Amino acid sequence: MKALFFSFVLLAQFALSQFGYQTNQLPLDTLASISTQVITAKDFLERFELMPWPQKDVKSRIEYTKLEFLYSLVAEKLMAMEASAQQIGFDSATQSMQYNLERLFVRDEFYKREVLPKIEISNAEIQKGLSRYAYEIEVEILGVLSKAEGDLFFKKYKQAKNKRTILKLFYDSLYIPVDTVQLSFGSADLALEEAAFTIDKDSLSKPVESSIYGTVMLRLLKKYTNPEYAKFNRQDQAHKVRNIIKGRKEDSLATKAFVSVTASQRAEAKPDLFFMLADTIHALMSLDSNAYRTKNVYMLSGGLLDDIQKRLVAYLQNEFVTFASGAPMTFGEVLLGLSNNYVVFPNLQKEYVQWVLNNNMKTVIQNELLTREGLRKNLQQSENVRHDLSTWMDNRRSALLLRKVIDTVKVSETEIEEEYQKDPAFFGATMLVRLREILVDSISLAKGLKEKLKRGEDFATLARKYSKRKEWTKDGGESVLTDIKNLGELGMFAATAKIGEVEGPWKIKEGLTIFTVLERKVIDDSLRMNFAETKRTIEQKLLGVKRQKTLDQYIGTLAKKYGVTLNEANLRKTSTSTSSMFTWRHIGFGGRIVAVPQVLRQTEWVYEWLRRENLNQ
């Protein structure tokens, strides 16, 4: 079987956008301290600004929202510290996650050091960009067989007095029309853009190599004002142009950095493992193709990669890719690398699966070589990498300990029955009640009647005199046994009221009600016959409440154990946005991950912590 070789010349496109705050642009005030560790405004902002959070977009409560978020960050830090103390987070899945993240961050740091600082934009480039940004150009793309034939056609066209005659004469011999497109500054195909903006008065460009169309010439059709340019002021126009130039230079510099690392490298993948992997992907995705279908393509999901890893666990440590120099990549490391790619298949034919996998294997190997260069430069010890890795692993360890804590929480059969008895009607039982009620319109009268009842005056007598629910007044405001569903809002109140106690006055649709439940009867024979689903509903409800209470107590205890100090004054001085959105972080040289790990809302532990603090005072 023939070996698979990979050589490296260029990257077609890089994920260029970077996120993150420059240290010198951020306040470094401490917002909280936990033992010897701190949460600074920088730590707070990089999490708060790059993830969604409940009611973050409500400006009127932003200070309270910030405080909730800080409480939650402190809770995460406390749980992570305790997890480390309990040796939690050393399982194989967590170690694999740490290995993968560190290598991603090293590659990203290599990009930031080797590419971003080298971007220089001159005023002349800005002015040239502005002059082009002002226009859109419509051109006809003419395909030619070669540059030589294009040069010949251009020469004849330039010399001819009647241009239309030349176009007709050499149609289908020296050129053919391919397409009509609109080009502007910042177009995806730089060669086409350059050619379009340098067409002279004769309206025909020299032959150029397009990344999309191959060897072509452009014929000018129209030139008009760019509508986007017209709606911006001069400052915004310059900002737009600068970003376009920056993106192109970043792309060019990234290509050079990539080539400098990979040009001399050669990698070989073992074909038996490659085809085994391709066949496994094909087989698993074909079992339920709709599960992996999205937007007319089939996506290699993280869950599927986990299934593949379990199925092929015997091969994970096998050498898969070897290099001319350096350690080989194991089968497991390649699977990990694929998890960082956005792998999609146009269809599930076996040859297409192999083709897409081969291209993604190349990307995995390229990223590995770039990462190794970053590791060679010891970037894993850089402040940025250590900080990012620590943030993600704290989040992971905190989640593992949280799971351990809540897994101890159980709900008994007695608790389920007690919860059911609080409001059987809520869970589908028929509930009948017999009431005595006084219904009036005036709040002052209602309050006065409530006082009379407190002094011991007879409920029935007062009901006959004052209640406007005439069908009950003749019986002293007393109803017959009635399904609460037929009593509207009064039924909702009566469902959970204590028998014999005077309730109200409560506002209902008919007026103001004062009532007492004389009798309550539950009919749930049919519900009890199929009670399992109801029990599961109640159990999940109680589990949620008990788990949160247990967590609040646990985190409050940790706050006392490790010592927590909050600086709300510094928090108020920390300016934030009110945009709540999900954000991606694009990794240098390609790939993306969630911008920051998501913070779990944990705020009520503060009251447990303060209670414990007060007990010791």
Side-chain angles (χ1 to χ4, degrees), residues 588-599:
F589 298 107
R592 70 177 187 178
I593 60 171
V594 175
V596 289
Q598 305 299 288
V599 178

Side-chain angles (χ1 to χ4, degrees), residues 139-140 142 153-164 166-167 195-196 198-206 217-221:
V139 296
E140 182 181 30
L142 310 178
F153 178 50
F154 181 79
K155 181 180 179 181
K156 291 184 178 295
Y157 184 86
K158 290 281 287 184
Q159 292 172 345
K161 292 182 179 180
N162 190 327
K163 309 298 185 186
R164 290 185 178 275
I166 292 296
L167 288 172
T198 53
I199 293 175
D200 63 16
K201 62 182 181 179
D202 290 325
S203 302
L204 190 70
S205 77
K206 291 183 177 181
M217 301 172 71
L218 307 185
R219 187 168 74 90
L220 179 64
L221 300 178

